[in-house]
């Protein structure tokens, strides 16, 4: 048991003065740029998309913050980046156009891409000009990602791709997608023979079909590939190394503050409403929620510290995401149970925010890896499987 407990590395991490100094700058920018956005708009968290806003962030140097200057980055620390992210999320800023590219596509290219790919794509991402989508899941392969069937077969000068990706967020808006394809079928060894590719979603043979979500909005898509040619120089990393690379990418995807702050606008409204006449039960519940929030923040910061030191936070990221999404999903339930508040799009700020998040919250523990899959990773980290 001692060895298992020692497997989690959540070092206490305090933000350096440079990071805290940045916070005031970011808040002033958000005040000037967004003004007083209504709570229901802020509730959209990182799903709001506004390319102009992304460009303004790029001009401030707040995209690709940790990347080398020669690729358009700013060589700042992961903890400074953390401050920018949490302020954006707390304000519900429309960061969706660049979020995936900044969080995982850019770092993936930095780590596994060719020099030519880094020079071609990273500066555009850092300026806020290029948005990316994630092409991993397929209609029959979500949790069991290694079972994907979309084939990329070698042809002269590149690959011919056939298959279907599903639940692809923002594929209809993205400039590029980083997709996982099967380049070789290795019987009984599904984790082998997978490779990652940069794909232009406007390539001939690609059809992007909207999938409308529970809330009536279009952010998901089905992306069908029919004899799509992908040039050789768009492969990311070695052929067949896709599984290892995807694992690294998912660690970036799972550990950030967006994994516990999706309902922060609702928590704010709850505190505002409850503070008028907080009973003991409400005070105890709010105290518990805020204590959880502070703990999750510390854990997520510890992961940012690991990324800063170049360590692999796979296990810790899975824990942050599992605990973080439980926390996020509890907040709408608490609002409903303790205030008796009914979700309605025409009611008070609190009711509107609740109406929006009641429909969104179920997806929090699906996107980026489901609860069961994360718990499998945690169990493996504890030596239990
Ligand atoms: C909001 C949102 C955005 C998304 N965006 C993207 C995107 O941009 N790109 C992309 O590629 N994908 C995206 N996805 C897809 C997401 O990654 C998958 O939905 C997720 O991995 C689960 O896969 P699935 O939907 O096929 O469910 P399944 O894998 O079929 O799982 C169904 C249920 O069975 C459980 N289960 C499955 N296997 C096991 C097991 N071995 N042990 C125990 N329980 C198990 C799961 O935990 C889940 O509860 C998005 C999903 C959502 C909700």
């Amino acid at each position: 048991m001692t060895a298992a407990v020692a497997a989690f590395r959540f070092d206490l991490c305090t933000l350096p003065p440079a990071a805290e100094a940045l916070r005031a700058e970011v808040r002033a920018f958000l005040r000037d740029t967004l003004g007083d956005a209504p709570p229901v708009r802020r509730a959209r968290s990182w799903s709001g998309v506004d390319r102009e806003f992304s460009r303004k962030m790029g001009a401030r140097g707040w995209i690709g913050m940790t990347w080398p200057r020669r690729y358009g980055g700013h060589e700042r620390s992961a903890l400074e980046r953390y401050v920018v992210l949490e302020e954006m999320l707390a304000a519900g800023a429309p960061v969706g156009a660049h979020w995936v590219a900044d969080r995982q596509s850019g770092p993936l290219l930095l780590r596994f891409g060719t020099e030519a790919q880094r020079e071609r794509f990273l500066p555009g991402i850092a300026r806020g000009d290029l948005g990316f989508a994630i092409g991993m899941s397929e209609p029959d392969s979500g949790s069991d990602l290694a079972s994907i069937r979309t084939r990329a077969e070698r042809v002269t000068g590149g690959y011919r791709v056939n298959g279907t990706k599903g639940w692809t967020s923002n594929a209809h808006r993205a400039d590029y997608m980083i997709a996982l394809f099967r380049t070789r079928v290795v019987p009984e060894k599904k984790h082998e023979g997978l490779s990652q590719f940069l794909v232009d979603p406007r390539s001939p043979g690609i059809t992007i079909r909207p999938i409308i979500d529970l809330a009536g909005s279009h952010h998901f898509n089905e992306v069908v590939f029919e004899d799509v040619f992908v040039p050789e120089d768009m492969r990311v990393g070695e052929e067949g190394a896709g599984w290892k690379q995807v694992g690294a990418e998912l660690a970036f995807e799972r550990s950030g503050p967006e994994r516990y702050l999706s309902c922060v606008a609702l928590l704010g409204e709850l505190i505002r409403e409850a503070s008028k006449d907080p009973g003991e039960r409400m005070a105890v519940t709010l105290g518990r929620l805020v204590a959880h929030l502070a703990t999750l923040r510390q854990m997520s910061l510890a992961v940012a510290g690991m990324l800063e030191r170049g360590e692999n936070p796979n296990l810790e990221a899975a824990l942050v995401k599992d605990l973080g999404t439980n926390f996020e999903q509890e907040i709408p339930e608490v609002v409903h149970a303790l205030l008796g508040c009914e979700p309605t799009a025409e009611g008070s700020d609190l009711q509107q925010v609740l109406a929006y998040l009641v429909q969104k919250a179920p997806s929090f523990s699906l996107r980026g890896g489901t609860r069961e899959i994360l718990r499998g990773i945690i169990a493996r980290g504890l030596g239990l499987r």
Side-chain angles (χ1 to χ4, degrees), residues 134 136-137 142-143 167-169 219-220 363 366-367 370 372:
I134 307 164
M136 293 189 194
S137 309
S143 301
W167 314 117
T168 322
S169 303
H219 104 271
F220 287 137
S363 72
L366 296 174
R367 60 185 185 187
T370 66
E372 289 75 16

Side-chain angles (χ1 to χ4, degrees), residues 44-66:
R44 278 156 53 186
S45 189
W46 47 290
S47 56
V49 174
D50 177 344
R51 188 58 71 87
E52 270 320 301
F53 182 82
S54 293
R55 291 197 173 109
K56 284 182 188 160
M57 277 191 65
R60 288 284 182 141
W62 294 339
I63 305 177
M65 282 179 76
T66 61

Side-chain angles (χ1 to χ4, degrees), residues 271-319:
I271 292 171
R272 208 181 325 281
E273 186 65 31
S275 59
K276 292 176 191 161
D277 180 21
E280 194 183 335
R281 195 162 155 234
M282 175 63 83
V284 168
T285 306
L286 282 180
R288 181 174 59 77
L289 286 176
V290 172
H292 283 183
L293 178 62
T295 308
L296 282 163
R297 178 172 186 260
Q298 190 55 59
M299 291 172 76
S300 171
L301 266 171
V303 176
M306 290 176 77
L307 290 172
E308 174 88 356
R309 295 189 296 275
E311 295 168 13
N312 176 357
N314 267 357
L315 174 59
E316 288 75 8
L319 201 60

Side-chain angles (χ1 to χ4, degrees), residues 12 56 58 64 78 194 224 257 268 306 311 337 340 354 356-357:
L12 207 59
K56 284 182 188 160
L194 301 172
V224 181
M306 290 176 77
E311 295 168 13
L354 183 62
Y356 177 80
L357 287 170

Side-chain angles (χ1 to χ4, degrees), residues 86-319:
E86 72 180 351
E87 289 301 324
M88 291 295 150
L89 293 168
V95 290
H98 67 267
W99 192 262
V100 162
D102 179 48
R103 175 182 71 187
Q104 64 195 82
S105 319
L108 184 87
L109 292 175
L110 257 182
R111 193 152 162 201
F112 300 110
T114 61
E115 189 56 24
Q117 287 169 348
R118 293 185 197 129
E119 285 172 2
R120 178 171 165 196
F121 296 105
L122 296 181
I125 296 176
R127 282 195 306 272
D129 282 338
L130 291 184
F132 276 60
I134 307 164
M136 293 189 194
S137 309
E138 297 186 2
D140 297 317
S141 306
S143 301
D144 186 12
L145 184 60
S147 69
I148 59 155
R149 287 186 299 193
T150 299
R151 281 299 311 268
E153 292 168 284
R154 268 203 178 270
V155 293
T156 310
Y159 298 81
R160 184 177 52 234
V161 180
N162 281 286
T164 303
K165 293 287 169 188
W167 314 117
T168 322
S169 303
N170 290 323
H172 57 306
R173 300 185 176 109
D175 301 285
Y176 291 94
M177 173 196 295
I178 294 191
L180 184 69
F181 299 139
R182 187 165 297 285
T183 38
R184 200 159 60 93
V185 178
V186 187
E188 312 292 321
K189 292 186 177 167
K190 62 185 177 183
H191 299 88
E192 294 183 14
L194 301 172
S195 308
Q196 284 188 298
F197 292 86
L198 279 150
V199 177
D200 178 347
R202 286 160 302 277
S203 305
I206 295 185
T207 309
I208 300 176
R209 298 198 187 107
I211 302 175
I212 305 302
D213 71 14
L214 188 68
S217 44
H218 170 204
H219 104 271
F220 287 137
N221 300 276
E222 180 182 70
V223 183
V224 181
F225 295 77
E226 288 168 301
D227 288 334
V228 176
F229 177 72
V230 179
E232 168 107 38
D233 64 2
M234 295 288 261
R235 195 187 65 235
V236 181
E238 294 297 312
E239 191 177 290
W243 188 250
K244 186 187 77 182
Q245 293 176 196
V246 157
E249 188 181 339
L250 286 170
F252 293 123
E253 186 173 343
R254 288 176 174 158
S255 60
E258 72 269 40
R259 298 308 178 189
Y260 61 89
L261 287 178
S262 308
C263 284
V264 75
L266 185 59
L267 184 60
E269 289 307 304
L270 170 63
I271 292 171
R272 208 181 325 281
E273 186 65 31
S275 59
K276 292 176 191 161
D277 180 21
E280 194 183 335
R281 195 162 155 234
M282 175 63 83
V284 168
T285 306
L286 282 180
R288 181 174 59 77
L289 286 176
V290 172
H292 283 183
L293 178 62
T295 308
L296 282 163
R297 178 172 186 260
Q298 190 55 59
M299 291 172 76
S300 171
L301 266 171
V303 176
M306 290 176 77
L307 290 172
E308 174 88 356
R309 295 189 296 275
E311 295 168 13
N312 176 357
N314 267 357
L315 174 59
E316 288 75 8
L319 201 60

